[in-house]
Amino acid sequence: MKSVKEWPETERPRERLLKHGAQNLTDAQLLAIILRTGSNGKTVMETAIELLNKFGGLKGIEEASINELQSVTGLGIAKIAQIKASFELGRRLLSQPAQEEVFNSASLVYNYLYPKLNGLKKEVFITLLLDTKLKLIKEIKVTEGILTQTLIHPREIFKEAVKESAYAVIVAHNHPSGDPDPSEQDVEITRKLKKASEILEISLLDHVIIGNGKYFSMKENKII
């Protein structure tokens, strides 16, 4: 069995990336570059292909636990850490707003938060603090777990907004079920926050619920 170093240079994943660009490599080739070396008698490409087949593609690998990844022969903690770090870097890049991005629509909020919230098993409630041009000042994770009116208190939402002199806020949370339709509790929380925003004179622009590939906007649906 030939090692990757023994392959013709035109077939080696790293050399192909440098010559043709990362966008022209297959998922297996990109994964092989991250893994760097094979083990237990398998080449790195064979390990990469086994991973993709076992977990049904990149999404399955991303969602797999460390214990599940360890079930692949030859995949040790160091390689698993490399895989997890690569996916996290990609997620952070996708969720990083452009320097001049203006949060003036629910779709922009969704595009910004979906990479962060997709696949989480718990509900996470986030507040985006905005300036007068609706650009992001600060992002705050308010709470994690089942949302209740006790947990999502206006004091917790607007405390940082006042501190940062925010002009407006957008709140958002995910539904782990993937269905973004609001519950009665979601609607009640939104109306309570809207009343508080009017008193404090800090605009509550929207409450966006993030689902699997779709979202629900309280503003667009005229709930606020």
Side-chain angles (χ1 to χ4, degrees):
M1 179 186 299
K2 289 185 177 181
S3 70
V4 173
K5 288 183 179 180
E6 295 176 286
W7 296 2
E9 283 197 10
T10 55
E11 296 180 18
R12 297 177 197 171
R14 185 174 61 186
E15 281 71 16
R16 285 182 62 83
L17 183 148
L18 294 173
K19 185 174 181 179
H20 302 291
Q23 71 276 12
N24 291 308
L25 270 64
T26 65
D27 291 348
Q29 289 168 334
L30 291 170
L31 194 53
I33 291 172
I34 294 168
L35 295 173
R36 296 180 58 197
T37 60
S39 57
N40 284 26
K42 294 184 293 187
T43 68
V44 68
M45 277 297 295
E46 288 172 331
T47 302
I49 291 169
E50 182 180 347
L51 266 170
L52 290 165
N53 289 338
K54 182 178 179 64
F55 296 104
L58 293 175
K59 185 64 177 174
I61 296 173
E62 181 198 17
E63 294 177 348
S65 67
I66 291 174
N67 286 338
E68 288 171 331
L69 290 171
Q70 283 181 305
S71 68
V72 177
T73 304
L75 202 62
I77 289 298
K79 292 185 186 298
I80 291 171
Q82 289 165 203
I83 292 170
K84 289 293 185 182
S86 298
F87 279 119
E88 182 59 26
L89 281 172
R91 184 184 296 110
R92 292 185 186 188
L93 176 62
L94 285 173
S95 64
Q96 191 170 34
Q99 189 173 6
E100 297 300 318
E101 187 165 23
V102 174
F103 286 91
N104 57 6
S105 72
S107 62
L108 286 173
V109 175
Y110 168 80
N111 290 336
Y112 172 62
L113 290 177
Y114 180 72
K116 297 184 177 187
L117 301 178
N118 180 42
L120 297 184
K121 305 303 181 185
K122 294 181 180 180
E123 291 189 4
V124 175
F125 196 95
I126 290 175
T127 302
L128 303 178
L129 308 184
L130 308 176
D131 64 16
T132 55
K133 295 181 179 179
L134 305 187
K135 294 179 183 178
L136 185 66
I137 298 172
K138 191 175 183 180
E139 173 191 329
I140 301 165
K141 183 168 82 170
V142 180
T143 188
E144 182 175 334
I146 297 173
L147 303 186
T148 67
Q149 292 190 57
T150 304
L151 284 175
I152 309 303
H153 193 280
R155 176 180 60 250
E156 302 304 318
I157 302 300
F158 291 102
K159 178 173 64 177
E160 286 293 321
V162 172
K163 180 180 175 182
E164 298 290 339
S165 300
Y167 168 76
V169 301
I170 294 174
V171 297
H173 78 279
N174 62 310
H175 277 179
S177 67
D179 181 0
D181 288 344
S183 65
E184 291 183 12
Q185 185 86 314
D186 293 333
V187 173
E188 286 303 312
I189 288 171
T190 304
R191 287 173 174 161
K192 188 174 182 180
L193 294 176
K194 180 65 174 176
K195 289 180 182 178
S197 75
E198 291 169 352
I199 293 170
L200 292 169
E201 297 184 343
I202 298 175
S203 298
L204 176 65
L205 299 182
D206 205 347
H207 180 180
V208 181
I209 303 175
I210 310 293
N212 185 14
K214 52 188 176 179
Y215 66 88
F216 183 96
S217 162
M218 297 286 185
K219 179 181 179 181
E220 289 178 359
N221 288 276
K222 304 187 186 306
I223 293 173
I224 59 172

